[in-house]
Amino acid sequence: MIDLRRYVRDVPDFPKPGVVFKDITPLLAHAAAFKACVTALAEPYRATRVGAVCAIEARGFIFGAALATELRAGFVPIRKPRKLPAPALGIDYALEYGSDRLEVHRDALTPGERVVLVDDVLATGGTLLAARVLIERLGAELLGASVVIELGFLGARTRWPGSLPLHALLTY
């Protein structure tokens, strides 16, 4: 098994002083590491029938599209405001420094469709929780969420519903 941590670079003071950014671009650039990452993200769901993988803009799309292919499922992008061309359902949510909004096409999922949610990093959890609400408002069945990196010291896991699996490949 490839040690994925070797392909995550720390970038100090980005995007602001005091923050150590976890840069996944080396992981994406290394074919075997990227493949191992996608394979590991898929593992909890292989024995389950998955209809769609939902991923959060923007880096989540990279992993979401690859995971959808791996699971033989559809791919549904959850986007920032005003990026989707058809009628969309949206949600505003709080961030540690303000607020933001996510949107998904109203016809992206069908009631009862079995869905996996994926993103690159779980930090404070606001974005992942907002995406969960959108999926549930569309009537889909959320099977769980997978992230490549969880920043465990921020405590987002405690905000995630205990009944839903939350799978992180790497925890810092």
Side-chain angles (χ1 to χ4, degrees), residues 37-97:
C37 179
V38 173
T39 299
L41 286 171
E43 202 53 42
Y45 308 104
R46 284 196 192 284
T48 306
R49 185 181 46 82
V50 176
V53 172
C54 293
I56 301 166
E57 186 169 349
R59 289 180 305 268
F61 290 179
I62 298 165
F63 297 100
L67 181 58
T69 299
E70 184 83 7
L71 293 174
R72 294 181 174 94
F75 173 75
V76 174
I78 298 178
R79 303 229 37 204
K80 306 257 181 182
R82 297 172 302 282
K83 300 284 186 182
L84 295 169
L89 176 67
I91 185 169
D92 295 310
Y93 64 101
L95 297 167
E96 61 275 15
Y97 52 84

Side-chain angles (χ1 to χ4, degrees), residues 4 8 12 21 28 31-32 35-36 55 62 64 73 84 94 98 104 109-111 115 123-124 142 144 148 160:
L4 297 178
V8 177
F21 185 80
L28 298 173
K35 173 65 176 156
I62 298 165
L84 295 169
V104 63
L109 300 168
T110 57
V115 172
T124 61
L142 183 58
V148 178
W160 186 255

